[in-house]
């Protein structure tokens, strides 16, 4: 009986290791352009209706530990780029953390690799926010996502 339990436990651990996604530096380095963005309302995916101007948003994740995020707003024909956001980046488990220093995290996202060779960045909310205002609480706990595709 003990052998069966040990064998079952070993098989379970092995299966979880094989199915777990391993985030590696080599897989995320590059120039990533926004393909789709949105959020989840419960289990329903809500895609934001972006024009080509906003779809110019991009991440340059560099091998030297720096990352540049270019945020674009406006309408086609009147695109307004913001000042590029320069930060450091590092991998923590299945997440990328964009940070300035030990105390200032600009963004932390859960990374999922998709079958079409894109990546999905989803909001990382380690502890859900509790607030007296249910509407504010809902907004602060909303999981947003960005699907980015590799340009090079």
């Amino acid at each position: 009986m003990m052998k069966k339990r040990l064998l079952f436990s070993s098989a379970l651990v092995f299966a979880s290791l094989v199915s777990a996604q391993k985030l590696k530096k080599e897989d995320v380095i590059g120039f990533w352009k926004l393909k789709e963005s949105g959020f989840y309302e419960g289990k329903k995916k809500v895609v934001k209706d972006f024009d080509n101007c906003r779809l110019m948003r991009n991440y340059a994740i560099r091998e030297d530990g720096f990352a540049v995020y270019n945020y674009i707003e406006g309408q086609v024909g009147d695109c307004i780029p913001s000042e590029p956001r320069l930060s450091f980046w590092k991998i923590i488990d299945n997440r990328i953390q964009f940070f300035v220093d030990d105390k200032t995290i600009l963004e932390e996202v859960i990374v999922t690799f998709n079958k079409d060779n894109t990546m999905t960045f989803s909001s990382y909310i380690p502890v859900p926010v509790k607030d007296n205002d249910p509407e504010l609480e809902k907004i602060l706990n909303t999981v947003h996502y960005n699907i980015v595709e590799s340009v090079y």
Side-chain angles (χ1 to χ4, degrees):
M1 184 68 161
M2 186 62 136
K3 269 187 171 179
K4 283 184 180 179
R5 283 186 186 165
L6 185 58
L7 184 61
F8 178 74
S9 297
S10 298
L12 194 60
V13 168
F14 179 74
S16 66
L17 289 174
V18 169
S19 65
Q21 175 180 276
K22 183 68 177 159
L23 192 55
K24 296 181 294 201
K25 184 177 179 178
E26 304 80 47
D27 295 333
V28 300
I29 291 171
F31 187 80
W32 298 89
K33 182 177 165 272
L34 184 65
K35 180 178 181 180
E36 179 183 306
S37 187
F39 58 94
Y40 293 95
E41 219 169 63
K43 294 191 183 245
K44 183 182 174 204
K45 184 178 179 181
V46 180
V47 179
K48 292 180 186 174
D49 187 24
F50 280 173
D51 61 21
N52 287 334
C53 184
R54 288 185 177 168
L55 288 173
M56 290 170 44
R57 295 176 185 176
N58 61 73
Y59 289 86
I61 302 175
R62 299 176 6 179
E63 188 172 0
D64 63 2
F66 285 99
V68 180
Y69 175 60
N70 290 296
Y71 184 84
I72 316 288
E73 276 293 342
Q75 303 292 324
V76 173
D78 188 23
C79 296
I80 304 163
S82 68
E83 186 71 28
R85 182 188 80 191
L86 178 64
S87 68
F88 299 105
W89 70 276
K90 65 183 172 184
I91 293 174
I92 301 174
D93 299 324
N94 65 339
R95 303 183 307 277
I96 296 177
Q97 186 180 85
F98 299 96
F99 62 97
V100 177
D101 56 35
D102 293 341
K103 297 178 186 121
T104 312
I105 299 169
L106 299 173
E107 182 179 21
E108 189 163 359
V109 294
I110 298 170
V111 178
T112 306
F113 295 109
N114 305 313
K115 291 179 182 177
D116 64 354
N117 295 322
T118 60
M119 281 193 301
T120 300
F121 293 168
S122 302
S123 305
Y124 174 64
I125 305 171
V127 179
V129 176
K130 298 288 184 195
D131 194 89
N132 293 335
D133 181 351
E135 195 60 34
L136 178 61
E137 184 175 308
K138 179 183 174 189
I139 290 168
L140 294 175
N141 290 311
T142 298
V143 174
H144 294 266
Y145 75 90
N146 289 319
I147 297 177
V148 293
E149 60 186 341
S150 177
V151 176
Y152 61 85

